[in-house]
Amino acid sequence: MSKPRYRRRKEDRPQEITEAAFDAFADKGYASTRVEEVASRAGVSKGLLYLYFKTKEELFKAVVKNVVVRRVDALIALVDKTDQSSEAFIRGPASRFLKEVPDSPVAVIIRLLISEGPRHPDLLDYYYQNVVSKGLAVVQRIIRRGIERGEFRPSIVDELPHLFLAPVMMSVVWRSLFGKRSLDTDKLIDTQIELLLAHIKA
Amino acid sequence: MSKPRYRRRKEDRPQEITEAAFDAFADKGYASTRVEEVASRAGVSKGLLYLYFKTKEELFKAVVKNVVVRRVDALIALVDKTDQSSEAFIRGPASRFLKEVPDSPVAVIIRLLISEGPRHPDLLDYYYQNVVSKGLAVVQRIIRRGIERGEFRPSIVDELPHLFLAPVMMSVVWRSLFGKRSLDTDKLIDTQIELLLAHIKA
DNA sequence: CTCATTAATGACTCGTTGGTCAGCAATTAT
DNA sequence: ATAATTGCTGACCAACGAGTCATTAATGAG
């Protein structure tokens, strides 16, 4: 009547390992995280981990791909579903979404990409295709819709959707370096949005 | 008449090693750079390097401290010396200064700090004290001078000098990830400056 | 129950790298 | 010249961590 020392759970392992890896990478960064550490957090042996992921690098890629895709797609869905005015949408759901980023898993991924990206060009390509360009496109789309509806006037801003993301980026970096001290990231993002709206409103 | 195999140059070594380390870290990041590699780039043996720097970590700190201090002080000096109007100064020297950052050594340091900073809290403190807070203060100073002179009106912007730095930050990160593709960083920074000026002009 | 299958373990290897040190050779002093 | 000093070298070591594999035991089939 001894308890089994482990359960066979082929289906769940990859996801669990991926999540453990995310946590570990978030704490220590990619290079400084030992595979053993990931395995231990996932409650499995190192050997098993290597059954599901051929190398540490592949694990890294799996983590990145795993976390981000949902989020962007969520925002896109949001945009398509809404019937608010563009301005209301930007001030409401879009603003909330952006303000969440610095505390979300996305922030961790961004940090990981900055650190390790240059050594993983194919990963950067993937990320650019599936996250960055989609993200920029969706911002642009909101603005253009506003223009078509006569809410906004054409301006340089709709060629530079990056302007909406800059304070978010800054917040992510700031938080990762200095924690919450001396920068109210919500205020930064809000102010930038107000600035941009003031500039593009018809 | 054999050439000496090496020259004794106690004075110059630290600087040379520090510069070699900067280059190496810029290429490979901190964790992935071997001490041997740094020594080789500096044209010395690994043993010598350890004569001047007790550990790899200390070398890292020396690099960071070495590069950045000059720059910020340069900007501060610039501000104090000028007799231009605040607006002209922002559009001119300040703008040029900001646009240089993404291609400058500072960008490298920022990337290094994002990657390794969380494991070097004392370094982050140093950096915050000597670079970040000084940088923010100098931006704020320009704005306040403008207000005193009646060029600008008081606004939220002078509590958030970060707004001037956000597009710079974004450019640094973007460049380090995606190179020059699909983002004109000069334009991004210029546009943000115009936006801010339009908002604060009296 | 018994056997075949395979998920899972954990001890092992081996390349890598931060850090050391005994000795050497470039200077400087005498 | 010769000796004393010390900047510098390069071989070395110990730790560490990625990746392997022979073995074990949970599970499902007959």
Side-chain angles (χ1 to χ4, degrees):
Chain A
M1 282 302 311
S2 62
K3 285 178 182 168
R5 299 201 324 201
Y6 55 82
R7 213 71 64 88
R8 299 172 132 202
R9 295 176 19 251
K10 188 181 178 169
E11 308 304 324
D12 305 331
R13 296 302 191 194
Q15 177 70 8
E16 290 174 8
I17 293 171
T18 282
E19 281 166 13
F22 174 85
D23 291 343
F25 291 161
D27 285 355
K28 315 215 176 192
Y30 172 76
S32 310
T33 298
R34 297 178 300 278
V35 173
E36 179 93 43
E37 163 86 10
V38 174
S40 145
R41 285 195 197 221
V44 300
S45 67
K46 189 166 59 153
L48 186 65
L49 191 155
Y50 275 96
L51 212 92
Y52 293 104
F53 301 93
K54 254 173 74 176
T55 65
K56 188 187 181 188
E57 187 177 323
E58 198 187 89
L59 173 62
F60 178 58
K61 293 179 180 175
V63 168
V64 173
K65 293 185 182 181
N66 198 38
V67 177
V68 205
V69 181
R70 304 179 219 287
R71 298 234 146 208
V72 183
D73 292 344
L75 179 59
I76 293 174
L78 219 59
V79 173
D80 287 335
K81 226 185 298 178
T82 188
D83 54 357
Q84 302 176 77
S85 74
S86 291
E87 184 179 341
F89 183 79
I90 290 175
R91 280 223 176 76
S95 157
R96 275 195 298 278
F97 183 92
L98 291 178
K99 284 188 281 192
E100 269 171 28
V101 170
D103 278 318
S104 78
V106 177
V108 173
I109 296 297
I110 290 174
R111 275 169 40 208
L112 286 175
L113 284 178
I114 293 172
S115 308
E116 302 297 330
R119 253 98 54 211
H120 300 271
D122 51 329
L123 186 60
L124 284 179
D125 278 354
Y126 174 87
Y127 192 79
Y128 188 83
Q129 301 294 333
N130 293 280
V131 180
V132 178
S133 72
K134 278 189 189 174
L136 291 171
V138 80
V139 173
Q140 211 165 40
R141 190 143 155 220
I142 300 169
I143 297 173
R144 296 220 163 124
R145 196 166 62 186
I147 295 176
E148 283 163 19
R149 288 178 182 172
E151 289 184 65
F152 300 153
R153 59 188 175 79
S155 78
I156 187 156
V157 173
D158 80 312
E159 287 162 36
L160 273 180
H162 310 76
L163 286 167
F164 280 92
L165 306 184
V168 178
M169 199 78 231
M170 173 122 190
S171 297
V172 168
V173 171
W174 194 280
R175 276 280 235 289
S176 110
L177 294 183
F178 311 121
K180 307 206 167 183
R181 95 177 132 188
S182 77
L183 177 58
D184 182 337
T185 55
D186 280 6
K187 196 173 171 190
L188 182 73
I189 294 169
D190 275 338
T191 306
Q192 176 83 348
I193 289 177
E194 289 307 321
L195 230 67
L196 289 167
L197 280 177
H199 185 259
I200 63 179
K201 270 203 280 192
Chain B
M1 281 305 310
S2 62
K3 285 177 184 168
R5 299 204 321 203
Y6 57 82
R7 213 71 65 85
R8 301 171 125 198
R9 294 175 20 250
K10 186 180 178 170
E11 308 304 323
D12 305 330
R13 296 302 192 195
Q15 177 70 8
E16 291 174 7
I17 292 171
T18 283
E19 281 166 13
F22 174 85
D23 292 342
F25 292 161
D27 285 356
K28 317 215 175 190
Y30 172 75
S32 311
T33 298
R34 297 178 303 272
V35 174
E36 179 92 45
E37 163 87 9
V38 173
S40 146
R41 285 194 197 222
V44 300
S45 66
K46 190 166 58 157
L48 186 65
L49 191 156
Y50 275 96
L51 210 92
Y52 293 104
F53 302 93
K54 257 172 71 176
T55 64
K56 188 188 182 189
E57 185 177 325
E58 198 187 90
L59 174 63
F60 176 59
K61 293 180 181 175
V63 168
V64 174
K65 293 186 181 179
N66 198 39
V67 177
V68 205
V69 181
R70 304 179 220 288
R71 297 236 145 207
V72 184
D73 292 344
L75 180 59
I76 293 174
L78 219 60
V79 174
D80 288 335
K81 226 186 298 179
T82 188
D83 54 356
Q84 302 176 78
S85 74
S86 291
E87 184 180 342
F89 183 79
I90 290 174
R91 280 223 176 75
S95 156
R96 275 195 298 278
F97 183 92
L98 291 178
K99 284 188 279 190
E100 269 171 27
V101 171
D103 278 319
S104 79
V106 177
V108 173
I109 297 297
I110 291 174
R111 276 168 40 208
L112 286 174
L113 284 177
I114 294 173
S115 308
E116 301 298 330
R119 254 98 55 212
H120 301 271
D122 52 330
L123 186 61
L124 285 179
D125 278 354
Y126 174 88
Y127 192 79
Y128 187 84
Q129 302 291 335
N130 292 281
V131 180
V132 178
S133 72
K134 278 189 188 175
L136 291 171
V138 80
V139 173
Q140 210 164 41
R141 192 144 150 220
I142 300 170
I143 297 172
R144 296 219 164 127
R145 197 166 62 185
I147 295 175
E148 284 163 19
R149 288 177 180 172
E151 287 182 68
F152 300 153
R153 59 189 175 80
S155 78
I156 187 158
V157 173
D158 80 312
E159 286 164 36
L160 273 180
H162 310 75
L163 285 168
F164 280 92
L165 305 183
V168 178
M169 199 79 229
M170 173 122 191
S171 297
V172 169
V173 172
W174 194 280
R175 275 281 234 290
S176 109
L177 294 183
F178 311 121
K180 308 205 166 181
R181 92 175 136 190
S182 77
L183 177 59
D184 182 337
T185 56
D186 280 5
K187 196 173 172 188
L188 182 73
I189 295 170
D190 275 336
T191 306
Q192 176 84 348
I193 290 177
E194 289 308 320
L195 230 67
L196 289 166
L197 279 176
H199 186 258
I200 63 178
K201 269 203 281 191

